[in-house]
Amino acid sequence: MTNDNSKYATRDFWNCRAASFPRYEAGDDNYEARMLRLARENGVDFCGKTVLDVGSGSGMYTIRLAQEAASVTAVDISDEMLRILMQDAAAQGLDNIRPVVSDWQNFADDQRYQIVFASMTPALTDDAAREKLHACALEQVVFIGFTERKPSDVMADLYVRYAVSPPQFADAPPMRAWLQARRIAHTALPVDGQWIVPHSREHLLKACAANLLARGAQPDMAHLAAHVEAFRNADGQYIERTSYSLEMLIWHIC
């Protein structure tokens, strides 16, 4: 992980983000449920399978996968993200998740998994990382990445004020190009939409500060406190909206 996204590949950054990061949310009509339904509709069956979740984060997908799979290994660079994941897994009565604290480059496991799953992780930034992802799978790989990502409405003006470039995670096109170069048959499924995420004031302030610090800026907390008030709704929640264009790539291991 050596490109501009390397700032987003540190344990400290993701541990800092963990407190304000979205967590598992039950229900059949939220974003994660819809994405897994799309995978199933295109030939992916998680039931009874061994699954590797690469860059699992707080477990928004991991817990859903574990509700179907025989077992899920969740690898993430952040021990705090994995702590939250296991806390939420316990609340769901799940005992088939194995957390592994590691970056992807140094993840070492002799086991191969029937399905390898990776969603919007900055770990897969070069061909060696993509090759490793492919090599870990026995049957199928499901990859979800950005084709374009716009800054959230909360962060857009902050990036301008602090004169820093917003993060760019267009990781789906290089993954698709890698598959094409390897002549690996795959299904490409575009997904466009908008995330609408409610936060507490404290969580939103922490998220704004962490994003700015990761870009080398020193946030003025008084200014941030005034800035986020524009996103407070009548119920006292702070609403963040982020538009996205994604691509789900699914391929079989021959």
Side-chain angles (χ1 to χ4, degrees):
M1 292 180 266
T2 58
N3 64 9
D4 183 60
N5 294 336
S6 62
K7 297 172 184 176
Y8 291 85
T10 66
R11 182 163 295 154
D12 287 346
F13 173 76
W14 289 111
N15 279 345
C16 184
R17 284 296 314 274
S20 59
F21 204 74
R23 296 169 68 154
Y24 166 76
E25 177 186 0
D28 295 328
D29 196 37
N30 59 24
Y31 166 77
E32 290 80 24
R34 293 193 296 272
M35 294 300 284
L36 290 180
R37 189 156 54 245
L38 181 63
R40 293 188 205 97
E41 289 169 353
N42 286 272
V44 182
D45 183 2
F46 299 102
C47 292
K49 300 295 180 67
T50 58
V51 178
L52 174 64
D53 186 0
V54 179
S56 62
S58 62
M60 293 180 290
Y61 282 111
T62 318
I63 291 173
R64 289 181 176 277
L65 294 169
Q67 290 167 345
E68 301 181 46
S71 64
V72 180
T73 295
V75 57
D76 198 273
I77 196 171
S78 168
D79 53 311
E80 183 61 15
M81 288 281 194
L82 290 174
R83 184 193 68 78
I84 291 169
L85 186 162
M86 297 307 292
Q87 181 183 71
D88 289 349
Q92 296 298 314
L94 296 169
D95 61 1
N96 61 339
I97 299 173
R98 177 171 70 101
V100 178
V101 181
S102 177
D103 63 10
W104 181 237
Q105 180 180 2
N106 293 302
F107 174 68
D109 195 341
D110 293 334
Q111 180 180 351
R112 294 177 71 197
Y113 301 83
Q114 288 170 293
I115 298 176
V116 172
F117 181 90
S119 174
M120 294 181 290
T121 171
L124 304 172
T125 57
D126 57 41
D127 285 352
R130 298 178 189 108
E131 187 70 46
K132 185 173 183 177
L133 187 81
H134 181 79
C136 284
L138 286 168
E139 297 179 5
Q140 287 176 301
V141 180
V142 179
F143 170 85
I144 303 170
F146 288 105
T147 56
E148 180 184 3
R149 182 184 182 186
K150 298 178 181 178
S152 77
D153 57 352
V154 176
M155 290 303 305
D157 287 345
L158 292 176
Y159 288 134
V160 173
R161 174 185 170 89
Y162 287 90
V164 295
S165 300
Q168 299 296 323
F169 294 135
D171 49 350
M175 179 64 83
R176 188 174 356 99
W178 179 82
L179 289 167
Q180 291 166 347
R182 287 283 310 273
R183 298 186 178 181
I184 297 173
H186 57 280
T187 300
L189 305 164
V191 181
D192 296 313
Q194 184 183 69
W195 290 306
I196 302 175
V197 181
H199 296 275
S200 70
R201 180 177 179 275
E202 178 185 5
H203 282 182
L204 186 56
L205 283 171
K206 286 182 178 179
C208 290
N211 276 311
L212 291 171
L213 285 166
R215 308 304 292 176
Q218 292 299 317
D220 177 340
M221 295 309 296
H223 169 257
L224 292 187
H227 173 77
V228 300
E229 287 305 310
F231 303 92
R232 182 179 180 181
N233 67 12
D235 296 326
Q237 291 182 312
Y238 293 76
I239 307 300
E240 181 180 21
R241 293 175 170 81
T242 305
S243 297
Y244 61 82
S245 294
L246 305 175
E247 194 166 65
M248 177 182 288
L249 298 169
I250 300 170
W251 65 94
H252 293 263
I253 308 301
C254 298

